[in-house]
Amino acid sequence: MSTVRHVVVIGGGIVGLAVADELASRGSRVTVLEKERGWGAHQTGHNSNVVHAGLYYRPGSLKARMSVAGNASMVAFAREHGVPVDVCGKLVVATSESELPRLHDLAARAEANGVPAKLISAARAREHEPEVSCVAALRVESTAIIDFPAVCAALVGRLSSHDLRLRSPALAIRSVPGGVEVATPQGVVRADALVNCAGLHSDRVARLAGLTPSARIVPFRGEYFELRRTGLVRGLIYPVPDPTLPFLGVHLTRMLDGSVHCGPNAVLALRREGYRWRDFSLADVVDVARFPGTWRLARKYARTGAEEVLRSLSRKRFAASLARLVPAVREDDLVRAEAGVRAQAMLPDGSLVDDFLIETAERQVHVLNAPSPAATGSLEIARHVADKIITPLE
């Protein structure tokens, strides 16, 4: 197996930078194209900075394997490069007897995935989190909190001898004999191969490259608050997730600086990069509206969607959701924080792609679904992508 001499990576979030770093470590020359003025500007810079343990995902799936392995590799990377990280563990709490079967199912899934976790009583849970309300909990030891933008900065530092370009969107892509060409505002980049890690625009970049991707990106905004009374939470407190939904539910996360983030909820964003209700793009809304999967999803989850919108518009409802976990939380404890947007891939039948989705063409690899836990698993995704792109060249 020989090294591809030059690879162009589109997208400068944590996945794109990790892919570039992995390819560079294997001897390739790398060009990274990022349309923003800084690295990790979207999903990487607007998430909860949690290094997930890997307990939620279907055993054997890419998410399960790359989250479990990524938990270890990401913590090791952070410690090696001086990036702040704290392996603090977390609690997943059942707030009623009706949630106990799902909590036990989650414990079984953790065991199947090789995640260090154990069921504990409500009394033991309160030893970790004195303000928590639950009938039982799952204690997950390997969950960590980290500074993912600082991980990006470390990756950029490792790539300092390569061609890293900010404010360089891909305007056009074409295959040419022996490689690909990408047009940018600064000129054309010619490379032996291309990797698409464009996140919220990954499906559009794939179409630009001549593919017909199997899924469409639909943006979901996740809104966060900060907790004024940070003493109510010592670490990470999560609800038992609904297995029919791709989101984990609102939770409380103590950050590295001692602040406590609460959220996120999940509402359809009105723009691919729509961090506020007023962020609106007619083209993006029409794109979503014309996709048949959108309406099939809406019919299936009409009630859930309505509840999420109401919670988005009502601080009181948001506080009530948190109070299920920590009853002391009140509406006036919440201070609005930055939102994030999840690049969620959807199929035409309305189902949400629940695993990482990576599609290939000649001399091309397209990462088409990489929401959470992609930051956790980014170094593992990078190895997986590099294995696909590194092939003998004639």
Short mmCIF file of all heavy atoms in Angstrom, two decimals, residues 310-371:
data_model
loop_
_atom_site.label_atom_id
_atom_site.label_comp_id
_atom_site.label_asym_id
_atom_site.label_seq_id
_atom_site.Cartn_x
_atom_site.Cartn_y
_atom_site.Cartn_z
N LEU A 310 -41.85 24.49 21.83
CA LEU A 310 -42.38 25.18 23.01
C LEU A 310 -41.30 25.37 24.06
O LEU A 310 -41.21 26.42 24.70
CB LEU A 310 -43.56 24.40 23.59
CG LEU A 310 -44.85 24.42 22.75
CD1 LEU A 310 -45.88 23.45 23.34
CD2 LEU A 310 -45.43 25.83 22.68
N ARG A 311 -40.47 24.36 24.24
CA ARG A 311 -39.38 24.48 25.21
C ARG A 311 -38.36 25.52 24.75
O ARG A 311 -37.76 26.23 25.57
CB ARG A 311 -38.71 23.12 25.42
CG ARG A 311 -37.63 23.15 26.48
CD ARG A 311 -37.26 21.77 26.96
NE ARG A 311 -36.82 20.90 25.89
CZ ARG A 311 -36.65 19.59 26.03
NH1 ARG A 311 -36.90 19.02 27.20
NH2 ARG A 311 -36.23 18.85 25.02
N SER A 312 -38.15 25.61 23.43
CA SER A 312 -37.25 26.62 22.89
C SER A 312 -37.75 28.03 23.20
O SER A 312 -36.95 28.93 23.46
CB SER A 312 -37.11 26.44 21.38
OG SER A 312 -36.42 27.52 20.80
N LEU A 313 -39.06 28.20 23.17
CA LEU A 313 -39.65 29.53 23.35
C LEU A 313 -39.94 29.87 24.79
O LEU A 313 -40.27 31.01 25.12
CB LEU A 313 -40.94 29.62 22.53
CG LEU A 313 -40.78 29.44 21.01
CD1 LEU A 313 -42.15 29.40 20.34
CD2 LEU A 313 -39.92 30.54 20.42
N SER A 314 -39.85 28.87 25.69
CA SER A 314 -40.23 29.08 27.09
C SER A 314 -39.11 28.66 28.03
O SER A 314 -38.79 27.48 28.16
CB SER A 314 -41.50 28.28 27.40
OG SER A 314 -41.75 28.26 28.79
N ARG A 315 -38.52 29.64 28.69
CA ARG A 315 -37.50 29.34 29.70
C ARG A 315 -38.09 28.51 30.84
O ARG A 315 -37.41 27.65 31.42
CB ARG A 315 -36.92 30.66 30.23
CG ARG A 315 -35.66 30.49 31.06
CD ARG A 315 -35.23 31.85 31.58
NE ARG A 315 -35.07 32.80 30.49
CZ ARG A 315 -33.91 33.34 30.11
NH1 ARG A 315 -32.82 33.01 30.76
NH2 ARG A 315 -33.85 34.20 29.13
N LYS A 316 -39.36 28.74 31.14
CA LYS A 316 -40.02 28.00 32.21
C LYS A 316 -40.08 26.51 31.89
O LYS A 316 -39.81 25.65 32.73
CB LYS A 316 -41.44 28.55 32.43
CG LYS A 316 -42.20 27.87 33.56
CD LYS A 316 -43.56 28.52 33.75
CE LYS A 316 -44.34 27.86 34.88
NZ LYS A 316 -45.67 28.50 35.08
N ARG A 317 -40.43 26.18 30.63
CA ARG A 317 -40.47 24.77 30.22
C ARG A 317 -39.08 24.15 30.23
O ARG A 317 -38.90 22.99 30.61
CB ARG A 317 -41.08 24.65 28.82
CG ARG A 317 -42.59 24.78 28.78
CD ARG A 317 -43.09 24.69 27.35
NE ARG A 317 -44.55 24.75 27.27
CZ ARG A 317 -45.35 23.69 27.29
NH1 ARG A 317 -44.82 22.47 27.37
NH2 ARG A 317 -46.65 23.83 27.22
N PHE A 318 -38.10 24.92 29.80
CA PHE A 318 -36.73 24.41 29.79
C PHE A 318 -36.30 24.10 31.23
O PHE A 318 -35.72 23.04 31.50
CB PHE A 318 -35.79 25.45 29.18
CG PHE A 318 -34.58 24.88 28.51
CD1 PHE A 318 -34.47 24.88 27.13
CD2 PHE A 318 -33.54 24.34 29.25
CE1 PHE A 318 -33.35 24.36 26.49
CE2 PHE A 318 -32.41 23.82 28.63
CZ PHE A 318 -32.31 23.82 27.25
N ALA A 319 -36.59 25.01 32.15
CA ALA A 319 -36.23 24.80 33.55
C ALA A 319 -36.95 23.58 34.12
O ALA A 319 -36.38 22.81 34.91
CB ALA A 319 -36.56 26.05 34.37
N ALA A 320 -38.20 23.38 33.73
CA ALA A 320 -38.96 22.24 34.23
C ALA A 320 -38.33 20.93 33.77
O ALA A 320 -38.31 19.94 34.52
CB ALA A 320 -40.41 22.32 33.75
N SER A 321 -37.81 20.89 32.54
CA SER A 321 -37.13 19.68 32.05
C SER A 321 -35.89 19.38 32.89
O SER A 321 -35.61 18.23 33.22
CB SER A 321 -36.74 19.86 30.59
OG SER A 321 -37.87 19.99 29.77
N LEU A 322 -35.15 20.42 33.24
CA LEU A 322 -33.95 20.24 34.06
C LEU A 322 -34.31 19.86 35.49
O LEU A 322 -33.60 19.07 36.14
CB LEU A 322 -33.12 21.51 34.06
CG LEU A 322 -32.55 21.93 32.70
CD1 LEU A 322 -31.99 23.35 32.78
CD2 LEU A 322 -31.47 20.95 32.26
N ALA A 323 -35.44 20.39 35.98
CA ALA A 323 -35.86 20.12 37.36
C ALA A 323 -36.26 18.66 37.57
O ALA A 323 -36.30 18.19 38.70
CB ALA A 323 -37.01 21.05 37.75
N ARG A 324 -36.57 17.94 36.49
CA ARG A 324 -36.81 16.50 36.62
C ARG A 324 -35.54 15.82 37.14
O ARG A 324 -35.62 14.82 37.86
CB ARG A 324 -37.19 15.88 35.27
CG ARG A 324 -38.57 16.26 34.76
CD ARG A 324 -38.87 15.55 33.45
NE ARG A 324 -38.87 14.10 33.61
CZ ARG A 324 -37.97 13.29 33.06
NH1 ARG A 324 -36.99 13.77 32.32
NH2 ARG A 324 -38.06 11.98 33.24
N LEU A 325 -34.38 16.34 36.75
CA LEU A 325 -33.11 15.76 37.16
C LEU A 325 -32.60 16.38 38.46
O LEU A 325 -32.11 15.67 39.34
CB LEU A 325 -32.06 15.98 36.06
CG LEU A 325 -32.45 15.57 34.63
CD1 LEU A 325 -31.35 15.95 33.66
CD2 LEU A 325 -32.75 14.09 34.56
N VAL A 326 -32.70 17.70 38.54
CA VAL A 326 -32.23 18.45 39.73
C VAL A 326 -33.38 19.37 40.15
O VAL A 326 -33.54 20.47 39.60
CB VAL A 326 -30.95 19.25 39.42
CG1 VAL A 326 -30.52 20.06 40.64
CG2 VAL A 326 -29.83 18.33 38.97
N PRO A 327 -34.22 18.95 41.09
CA PRO A 327 -35.43 19.70 41.44
C PRO A 327 -35.19 21.14 41.89
O PRO A 327 -36.09 21.98 41.78
CB PRO A 327 -36.05 18.87 42.57
CG PRO A 327 -35.55 17.48 42.32
CD PRO A 327 -34.16 17.65 41.79
N ALA A 328 -33.99 21.44 42.37
CA ALA A 328 -33.72 22.80 42.86
C ALA A 328 -33.60 23.82 41.73
O ALA A 328 -33.62 25.03 41.99
CB ALA A 328 -32.44 22.80 43.69
N VAL A 329 -33.46 23.38 40.48
CA VAL A 329 -33.31 24.32 39.36
C VAL A 329 -34.59 25.10 39.15
O VAL A 329 -35.69 24.53 39.07
CB VAL A 329 -32.94 23.58 38.05
CG1 VAL A 329 -32.96 24.54 36.87
CG2 VAL A 329 -31.55 22.94 38.18
N ARG A 330 -34.46 26.43 39.07
CA ARG A 330 -35.61 27.31 38.85
C ARG A 330 -35.42 28.09 37.55
O ARG A 330 -34.31 28.18 37.03
CB ARG A 330 -35.77 28.29 40.01
CG ARG A 330 -35.93 27.65 41.39
CD ARG A 330 -36.27 28.72 42.43
NE ARG A 330 -35.24 29.75 42.49
CZ ARG A 330 -34.31 29.82 43.42
NH1 ARG A 330 -34.25 28.90 44.38
NH2 ARG A 330 -33.43 30.81 43.43
N GLU A 331 -36.50 28.68 37.09
CA GLU A 331 -36.44 29.44 35.84
C GLU A 331 -35.41 30.56 35.90
O GLU A 331 -34.67 30.79 34.94
CB GLU A 331 -37.83 30.01 35.54
CG GLU A 331 -37.91 30.79 34.24
CD GLU A 331 -39.30 31.37 33.99
OE1 GLU A 331 -40.23 31.07 34.77
OE2 GLU A 331 -39.43 32.14 33.02
N ASP A 332 -35.33 31.24 37.04
CA ASP A 332 -34.41 32.38 37.12
C ASP A 332 -32.95 31.96 37.32
O ASP A 332 -32.06 32.80 37.40
CB ASP A 332 -34.84 33.36 38.21
CG ASP A 332 -34.87 32.73 39.60
OD1 ASP A 332 -34.52 31.54 39.74
OD2 ASP A 332 -35.28 33.43 40.55
N ASP A 333 -32.70 30.64 37.38
CA ASP A 333 -31.32 30.15 37.41
C ASP A 333 -30.68 30.12 36.04
O ASP A 333 -29.47 29.97 35.92
CB ASP A 333 -31.28 28.72 37.98
CG ASP A 333 -31.52 28.66 39.47
OD1 ASP A 333 -31.05 29.57 40.18
OD2 ASP A 333 -32.19 27.71 39.92
N LEU A 334 -31.49 30.23 34.98
CA LEU A 334 -31.00 29.99 33.63
C LEU A 334 -30.60 31.28 32.91
O LEU A 334 -31.36 32.24 32.88
CB LEU A 334 -32.06 29.26 32.80
CG LEU A 334 -32.54 27.91 33.35
CD1 LEU A 334 -33.52 27.27 32.38
CD2 LEU A 334 -31.37 26.98 33.64
N VAL A 335 -29.42 31.26 32.34
CA VAL A 335 -28.90 32.37 31.54
C VAL A 335 -28.63 31.85 30.13
O VAL A 335 -27.93 30.84 29.97
CB VAL A 335 -27.60 32.94 32.14
CG1 VAL A 335 -27.07 34.08 31.28
CG2 VAL A 335 -27.81 33.38 33.57
N ARG A 336 -29.17 32.51 29.13
CA ARG A 336 -29.04 32.05 27.75
C ARG A 336 -27.56 31.95 27.36
O ARG A 336 -26.77 32.85 27.64
CB ARG A 336 -29.76 32.99 26.81
CG ARG A 336 -29.74 32.59 25.36
CD ARG A 336 -30.65 31.44 25.02
NE ARG A 336 -32.06 31.76 25.14
CZ ARG A 336 -33.02 30.91 24.82
NH1 ARG A 336 -32.70 29.69 24.38
NH2 ARG A 336 -34.28 31.25 24.96
N ALA A 337 -27.18 30.82 26.72
CA ALA A 337 -25.82 30.61 26.23
C ALA A 337 -25.84 30.37 24.73
O ALA A 337 -26.90 30.33 24.11
CB ALA A 337 -25.18 29.42 26.96
N GLU A 338 -24.66 30.21 24.13
CA GLU A 338 -24.57 29.98 22.69
C GLU A 338 -25.24 28.67 22.30
O GLU A 338 -25.10 27.66 22.99
CB GLU A 338 -23.11 29.93 22.25
CG GLU A 338 -22.51 31.27 21.93
CD GLU A 338 -21.17 31.13 21.20
OE1 GLU A 338 -20.61 30.01 21.18
OE2 GLU A 338 -20.70 32.14 20.66
N ALA A 339 -25.92 28.68 21.18
CA ALA A 339 -26.53 27.47 20.64
C ALA A 339 -25.56 26.77 19.69
O ALA A 339 -24.55 27.33 19.28
CB ALA A 339 -27.82 27.82 19.90
N GLY A 340 -25.91 25.54 19.36
CA GLY A 340 -25.16 24.80 18.35
C GLY A 340 -26.11 24.30 17.29
O GLY A 340 -27.33 24.33 17.47
N VAL A 341 -25.59 23.86 16.16
CA VAL A 341 -26.41 23.27 15.11
C VAL A 341 -25.84 21.90 14.76
O VAL A 341 -24.65 21.78 14.46
CB VAL A 341 -26.47 24.15 13.85
CG1 VAL A 341 -27.32 23.49 12.78
CG2 VAL A 341 -27.03 25.53 14.18
N ARG A 342 -26.69 20.90 14.83
CA ARG A 342 -26.30 19.52 14.54
C ARG A 342 -26.55 19.23 13.06
O ARG A 342 -27.66 19.43 12.57
CB ARG A 342 -27.12 18.56 15.41
CG ARG A 342 -26.89 17.07 15.17
CD ARG A 342 -27.91 16.27 15.96
NE ARG A 342 -27.79 14.84 15.77
CZ ARG A 342 -27.29 13.99 16.66
NH1 ARG A 342 -26.84 14.46 17.81
NH2 ARG A 342 -27.24 12.69 16.42
N ALA A 343 -25.54 18.75 12.37
CA ALA A 343 -25.68 18.36 10.96
C ALA A 343 -26.17 16.91 10.93
O ALA A 343 -25.38 15.97 10.95
CB ALA A 343 -24.35 18.49 10.24
N GLN A 344 -27.48 16.76 10.89
CA GLN A 344 -28.08 15.43 10.96
C GLN A 344 -28.47 14.95 9.57
O GLN A 344 -29.22 15.62 8.87
CB GLN A 344 -29.32 15.45 11.85
CG GLN A 344 -30.07 14.13 11.92
CD GLN A 344 -29.23 13.01 12.51
OE1 GLN A 344 -28.68 13.16 13.60
NE2 GLN A 344 -29.11 11.91 11.79
N ALA A 345 -27.96 13.79 9.16
CA ALA A 345 -28.31 13.22 7.86
C ALA A 345 -29.66 12.52 7.95
O ALA A 345 -29.95 11.82 8.92
CB ALA A 345 -27.24 12.25 7.40
N MET A 346 -30.49 12.74 6.93
CA MET A 346 -31.82 12.15 6.86
C MET A 346 -31.99 11.42 5.54
O MET A 346 -31.54 11.90 4.49
CB MET A 346 -32.89 13.24 7.01
CG MET A 346 -34.32 12.74 7.00
SD MET A 346 -35.53 14.10 6.95
CE MET A 346 -35.20 14.90 8.52
N LEU A 347 -32.67 10.29 5.57
CA LEU A 347 -32.95 9.52 4.36
C LEU A 347 -34.29 9.96 3.77
O LEU A 347 -35.12 10.54 4.48
CB LEU A 347 -32.97 8.03 4.68
CG LEU A 347 -31.65 7.46 5.22
CD1 LEU A 347 -31.83 6.00 5.61
CD2 LEU A 347 -30.54 7.61 4.20
N PRO A 348 -34.53 9.68 2.50
CA PRO A 348 -35.79 10.11 1.88
C PRO A 348 -37.05 9.55 2.55
O PRO A 348 -38.12 10.15 2.45
CB PRO A 348 -35.67 9.59 0.44
CG PRO A 348 -34.20 9.55 0.19
CD PRO A 348 -33.59 9.14 1.49
N ASP A 349 -36.93 8.42 3.26
CA ASP A 349 -38.10 7.86 3.95
C ASP A 349 -38.39 8.54 5.27
O ASP A 349 -39.32 8.17 5.99
CB ASP A 349 -37.94 6.35 4.15
CG ASP A 349 -36.81 5.99 5.12
OD1 ASP A 349 -36.16 6.91 5.67
OD2 ASP A 349 -36.57 4.78 5.32
N GLY A 350 -37.60 9.58 5.61
CA GLY A 350 -37.83 10.33 6.84
C GLY A 350 -37.06 9.81 8.04
O GLY A 350 -37.11 10.41 9.11
N SER A 351 -36.33 8.72 7.88
CA SER A 351 -35.54 8.20 9.01
C SER A 351 -34.23 8.98 9.13
O SER A 351 -33.64 9.41 8.12
CB SER A 351 -35.27 6.71 8.83
OG SER A 351 -34.55 6.46 7.65
N LEU A 352 -33.81 9.17 10.37
CA LEU A 352 -32.55 9.85 10.63
C LEU A 352 -31.43 8.82 10.65
O LEU A 352 -31.56 7.77 11.28
CB LEU A 352 -32.63 10.58 11.98
CG LEU A 352 -33.72 11.65 12.09
CD1 LEU A 352 -33.72 12.25 13.49
CD2 LEU A 352 -33.54 12.73 11.04
N VAL A 353 -30.36 9.11 9.96
CA VAL A 353 -29.22 8.18 9.93
C VAL A 353 -28.62 8.14 11.33
O VAL A 353 -28.19 9.16 11.86
CB VAL A 353 -28.18 8.65 8.90
CG1 VAL A 353 -26.98 7.70 8.89
CG2 VAL A 353 -28.80 8.74 7.51
N ASP A 354 -28.61 6.94 11.93
CA ASP A 354 -28.18 6.87 13.33
C ASP A 354 -26.72 6.45 13.51
O ASP A 354 -26.25 6.33 14.62
CB ASP A 354 -29.09 5.93 14.13
CG ASP A 354 -28.97 4.47 13.68
OD1 ASP A 354 -28.30 4.22 12.67
OD2 ASP A 354 -29.56 3.60 14.35
N ASP A 355 -26.02 6.24 12.40
CA ASP A 355 -24.60 5.89 12.48
C ASP A 355 -23.81 6.88 11.64
O ASP A 355 -24.37 7.65 10.85
CB ASP A 355 -24.38 4.46 11.99
CG ASP A 355 -23.09 3.84 12.52
OD1 ASP A 355 -22.36 4.51 13.28
OD2 ASP A 355 -22.82 2.66 12.18
N PHE A 356 -22.50 6.90 11.82
CA PHE A 356 -21.68 7.68 10.91
C PHE A 356 -21.89 7.14 9.49
O PHE A 356 -22.03 5.93 9.28
CB PHE A 356 -20.20 7.58 11.27
CG PHE A 356 -19.86 8.14 12.64
CD1 PHE A 356 -18.92 7.52 13.44
CD2 PHE A 356 -20.48 9.28 13.11
CE1 PHE A 356 -18.59 8.03 14.69
CE2 PHE A 356 -20.16 9.80 14.36
CZ PHE A 356 -19.22 9.16 15.15
N LEU A 357 -21.93 8.04 8.52
CA LEU A 357 -22.15 7.66 7.13
C LEU A 357 -20.99 8.18 6.30
O LEU A 357 -20.76 9.40 6.24
CB LEU A 357 -23.47 8.23 6.62
CG LEU A 357 -23.80 7.97 5.14
CD1 LEU A 357 -23.94 6.48 4.86
CD2 LEU A 357 -25.08 8.72 4.74
N ILE A 358 -20.27 7.26 5.67
CA ILE A 358 -19.11 7.61 4.86
C ILE A 358 -19.26 6.93 3.51
O ILE A 358 -19.40 5.70 3.45
CB ILE A 358 -17.80 7.18 5.55
CG1 ILE A 358 -17.66 7.88 6.91
CG2 ILE A 358 -16.59 7.48 4.67
CD1 ILE A 358 -16.52 7.37 7.77
N GLU A 359 -19.27 7.72 2.44
CA GLU A 359 -19.43 7.18 1.09
C GLU A 359 -18.20 7.53 0.26
O GLU A 359 -17.53 8.54 0.52
CB GLU A 359 -20.71 7.72 0.44
CG GLU A 359 -21.97 7.28 1.19
CD GLU A 359 -23.26 7.71 0.52
OE1 GLU A 359 -23.21 8.45 -0.49
OE2 GLU A 359 -24.33 7.31 1.01
N THR A 360 -17.92 6.70 -0.72
CA THR A 360 -16.71 6.87 -1.51
C THR A 360 -17.01 6.90 -3.00
O THR A 360 -18.04 6.40 -3.46
CB THR A 360 -15.71 5.72 -1.24
OG1 THR A 360 -16.31 4.47 -1.62
CG2 THR A 360 -15.31 5.66 0.23
N ALA A 361 -16.12 7.52 -3.73
CA ALA A 361 -16.09 7.48 -5.19
C ALA A 361 -14.61 7.38 -5.56
O ALA A 361 -13.74 7.36 -4.69
CB ALA A 361 -16.72 8.73 -5.78
N GLU A 362 -14.32 7.33 -6.85
CA GLU A 362 -12.92 7.20 -7.25
C GLU A 362 -12.13 8.41 -6.74
O GLU A 362 -12.45 9.56 -7.04
CB GLU A 362 -12.81 7.12 -8.77
CG GLU A 362 -11.39 6.87 -9.25
CD GLU A 362 -11.29 6.72 -10.76
OE1 GLU A 362 -12.34 6.81 -11.44
OE2 GLU A 362 -10.17 6.53 -11.25
N ARG A 363 -11.11 8.14 -5.93
CA ARG A 363 -10.23 9.16 -5.35
C ARG A 363 -10.96 10.15 -4.47
O ARG A 363 -10.50 11.27 -4.26
CB ARG A 363 -9.45 9.89 -6.47
CG ARG A 363 -8.51 8.97 -7.25
CD ARG A 363 -7.77 9.71 -8.34
NE ARG A 363 -6.86 8.81 -9.03
CZ ARG A 363 -5.58 8.62 -8.69
NH1 ARG A 363 -5.07 9.29 -7.67
NH2 ARG A 363 -4.83 7.77 -9.37
N GLN A 364 -12.11 9.75 -3.92
CA GLN A 364 -12.88 10.63 -3.05
C GLN A 364 -13.45 9.85 -1.86
O GLN A 364 -13.91 8.72 -2.02
CB GLN A 364 -14.05 11.27 -3.81
CG GLN A 364 -13.67 12.13 -4.99
CD GLN A 364 -14.88 12.70 -5.69
OE1 GLN A 364 -15.96 12.82 -5.11
NE2 GLN A 364 -14.72 13.05 -6.96
N VAL A 365 -13.45 10.48 -0.70
CA VAL A 365 -14.15 9.96 0.48
C VAL A 365 -15.00 11.10 1.03
O VAL A 365 -14.50 12.22 1.22
CB VAL A 365 -13.19 9.46 1.57
CG1 VAL A 365 -13.96 9.00 2.80
CG2 VAL A 365 -12.32 8.32 1.05
N HIS A 366 -16.28 10.81 1.29
CA HIS A 366 -17.21 11.83 1.78
C HIS A 366 -17.78 11.41 3.13
O HIS A 366 -18.45 10.37 3.23
CB HIS A 366 -18.34 12.04 0.76
CG HIS A 366 -17.86 12.54 -0.56
ND1 HIS A 366 -17.84 13.88 -0.87
CD2 HIS A 366 -17.36 11.89 -1.65
CE1 HIS A 366 -17.36 14.04 -2.10
NE2 HIS A 366 -17.06 12.84 -2.59
N VAL A 367 -17.50 12.21 4.15
CA VAL A 367 -18.04 11.97 5.49
C VAL A 367 -19.38 12.71 5.54
O VAL A 367 -19.42 13.93 5.69
CB VAL A 367 -17.09 12.47 6.58
CG1 VAL A 367 -17.66 12.18 7.96
CG2 VAL A 367 -15.71 11.81 6.42
N LEU A 368 -20.47 11.96 5.41
CA LEU A 368 -21.79 12.57 5.20
C LEU A 368 -22.68 12.61 6.44
O LEU A 368 -23.71 13.27 6.42
CB LEU A 368 -22.52 11.81 4.08
CG LEU A 368 -21.85 11.89 2.70
CD1 LEU A 368 -22.57 10.98 1.72
CD2 LEU A 368 -21.84 13.32 2.20
N ASN A 369 -22.32 11.90 7.47
CA ASN A 369 -23.05 12.02 8.74
C ASN A 369 -22.06 11.85 9.87
O ASN A 369 -21.59 10.74 10.13
CB ASN A 369 -24.17 10.98 8.85
CG ASN A 369 -25.11 11.27 10.02
OD1 ASN A 369 -25.64 12.37 10.12
ND2 ASN A 369 -25.29 10.31 10.91
N ALA A 370 -21.74 12.95 10.53
CA ALA A 370 -20.78 12.90 11.63
C ALA A 370 -21.18 13.88 12.72
O ALA A 370 -20.42 14.78 13.08
CB ALA A 370 -19.37 13.19 11.14
N PRO A 371 -22.40 13.72 13.27
CA PRO A 371 -22.76 14.51 14.45
C PRO A 371 -22.17 13.84 15.69
O PRO A 371 -21.35 12.92 15.58
CB PRO A 371 -24.29 14.45 14.45
CG PRO A 371 -24.59 13.10 13.86
CD PRO A 371 -23.49 12.83 12.86
#
